[in-house]
Amino acid sequence: MPHVLVLNASYEPLGVVSTRRALILVLNHKAVSLEDSGTTLHSATTTVTAPSVVRLTRFVRVPFRGPVPLTRRALFARDHGRCVYCGAAATSVDHVIPRSRGGQHRWDNVVAACRRCNHVKADRHLTELGWRMKRAPAPPSGLAWRVIGTGIKDPRWRPYLEPYGGLDQFREYEHHDHIDHAGALPAPATRTHPTRRRGEPEPLSA
């Protein structure tokens, strides 16, 4: 079932809900529809246009928001869906400092990687390979990431998310979005990889 973006009365994004839940909010006058999805729902006596974006009629005070949850989809969005080591389409998750060597599963130690770079790197440090990243991984920020991190997209949501951060990365991620129904990125037809020397990749330039 399609999802609906829910905004606070102040227009801050709160999250996404099912179309059914959004319709209940609208019909109970707890929210108003700002964008239609183009889908019409029918009952025995009523025809209703399903919303794509709704805004609550009363402001809801949101408790303290913790860090953006670290999920595969959110990670691929942060890294534009590309391998941080060689730039090919990302297919896997890599720990910069391997977990076997004390690395933690945190935003500042997890990156998107292609299958080949992940395999070559294995449980080694970047310094052992002579690899460098263009930028250090960091937690994403901005209220929009509460939506971006779900991996659910609708072009109608963009104007309502743009003021709240993360959309530059989201645009590029959408451009490279080849996620299949299983949630994984298929291998690209061609890839550009560093030249190998004695079984090892050449150091990647910053």
Side-chain angles (χ1 to χ4, degrees):
M1 177 177 288
H3 290 77
V4 180
L5 173 64
V6 178
L7 308 176
N8 212 333
S10 58
Y11 285 87
E12 293 179 355
L14 293 178
V16 293
V17 298
S18 66
T19 298
R20 176 184 173 84
R21 175 59 181 161
L23 278 175
I24 291 174
L25 291 172
V26 172
L27 294 175
N28 288 334
H29 306 290
K30 294 182 178 180
V32 293
S33 176
L34 299 180
E35 298 282 347
D36 292 338
S37 66
T39 301
T40 302
L41 303 178
H42 303 273
S43 69
T45 58
T46 307
T47 298
V48 180
T49 300
S52 175
V53 181
V54 299
R55 180 177 65 88
L56 299 181
T57 55
R58 298 183 61 181
F59 180 80
V60 173
R61 188 172 298 279
V62 180
F64 172 76
R65 296 174 183 264
V68 177
L70 175 51
T71 65
R72 181 185 177 92
R73 290 185 179 275
L75 177 67
F76 278 27
R78 186 200 66 179
D79 292 342
H80 315 300
R82 315 302 292 180
C83 174
V84 301
Y85 303 123
C86 73
T91 59
S92 61
V93 174
D94 181 62
H95 293 83
V96 180
I97 300 175
R99 302 191 76 171
S100 62
R101 302 177 71 170
Q104 298 183 9
H105 189 68
R106 309 188 316 189
W107 277 111
D108 58 1
N109 190 51
V110 180
V111 295
C114 70
R115 187 170 288 107
R116 180 180 178 277
C117 285
N118 203 338
H119 175 73
V120 171
K121 179 175 174 292
D123 64 347
R124 288 175 286 185
H125 288 284
L126 297 184
T127 53
E128 296 175 50
L129 294 166
W131 290 10
R132 288 182 292 172
M133 293 184 292
K134 292 183 177 180
R135 56 183 174 272
S141 60
L143 293 176
W145 276 96
R146 295 293 167 178
V147 176
I148 296 172
T150 67
I152 303 170
K153 310 182 190 76
D154 187 320
R156 302 175 187 86
W157 299 356
R158 179 166 289 164
Y160 303 95
L161 297 178
E162 282 182 336
Y164 296 97
L167 268 293
D168 288 340
Q169 289 172 299
F170 193 43
R171 289 191 191 98
E172 187 170 346
Y173 179 56
E174 282 186 319
H175 179 70
H176 296 295
D177 188 8
H178 303 296
I179 293 179
D180 61 15
H181 295 296
L185 292 168
T190 59
R191 295 187 183 185
T192 301
H193 289 286
T195 303
R196 294 213 291 179
R197 178 179 59 190
R198 295 183 182 179
E200 298 290 339
E202 294 284 343
L204 299 183
S205 58

